[in-house]
Amino acid sequence: MWFFRFLAIGLLGGTVMIPILHSPRGDGFEHLRLDAIMSLELGWFLTVPISLVAGALWVGFFRRRSRPAPPGFVLGGVTVTFGALVLSQAMAASRWLNGSPDGVGDPDGEYVMVAFAELSSVVALLVGAAILIDRGVTVRHSRKAVAPAPTSR
């Protein structure tokens, strides 16, 4: 579960890079959406490996100490919501690119980037769902703890 926790943090951390990496090349909302998706992908290439390495070091360094709580409902819910949002925007950009838009230099190359964003958002949905399912099962099993029956004398 630690892998999923730090993968989710890396995926969510990529959103910080959106305003930093790209500026819109054309006018209109569609160009802004395409550039935001491409910036998000570049952010993922930076933040996901850093998050996974930092997570491996974190877990390795704190192995002797008590382990922190497993990922919870909030991280899973935010990751699922984030994946659904990126998937919807990537699908809309894909439909826009299929219609031969104006101001796009190479629609095929940008279509591949949008397809990669669709795939990555599905991964984010699956990671969030795995976190939610695991946490739900853990909570359910912890509530089934058997308490000793009271004895009456």
Side-chain angles (χ1 to χ4, degrees), residues 4-94:
F4 289 131
R5 169 184 266 183
F6 291 109
L7 180 61
I9 291 170
L11 287 169
L12 294 172
T15 58
V16 175
M17 300 294 186
I18 290 176
I20 298 171
L21 295 176
H22 265 131
S23 60
R25 289 180 274 174
D27 293 332
F29 180 72
E30 299 294 335
H31 287 280
L32 181 65
R33 178 188 321 197
L34 180 63
D35 287 330
I37 289 171
M38 292 172 64
S39 297
L40 183 63
E41 290 173 3
L42 291 174
W44 284 337
F45 281 119
L46 296 173
T47 59
V48 170
I50 290 171
S51 174
L52 291 176
V53 169
L57 292 174
W58 179 270
V59 170
F61 180 70
F62 291 111
R63 182 171 287 167
R64 294 182 188 143
R65 298 181 186 178
S66 64
R67 298 182 70 161
F73 292 114
V74 173
L75 180 62
V78 168
T79 306
V80 166
T81 304
F82 171 74
L85 177 69
V86 173
L87 181 63
S88 68
Q89 295 305 308
M91 290 174 68
S94 175

Side-chain angles (χ1 to χ4, degrees), residues 50-137:
I50 290 171
S51 174
L52 291 176
V53 169
L57 292 174
W58 179 270
V59 170
F61 180 70
F62 291 111
R63 182 171 287 167
R64 294 182 188 143
R65 298 181 186 178
S66 64
R67 298 182 70 161
F73 292 114
V74 173
L75 180 62
V78 168
T79 306
V80 166
T81 304
F82 171 74
L85 177 69
V86 173
L87 181 63
S88 68
Q89 295 305 308
M91 290 174 68
S94 175
R95 284 191 302 270
W96 176 66
L97 286 170
N98 281 334
S100 65
D102 294 333
V104 176
D106 181 20
D108 293 334
E110 286 161 351
Y111 186 77
V112 169
M113 294 292 283
V114 169
F116 180 70
E118 289 173 347
L119 179 65
S120 300
S121 62
V122 169
V123 168
L125 281 168
L126 292 175
V127 166
I131 290 171
L132 287 173
I133 290 169
D134 182 67
R135 190 61 181 164
V137 168

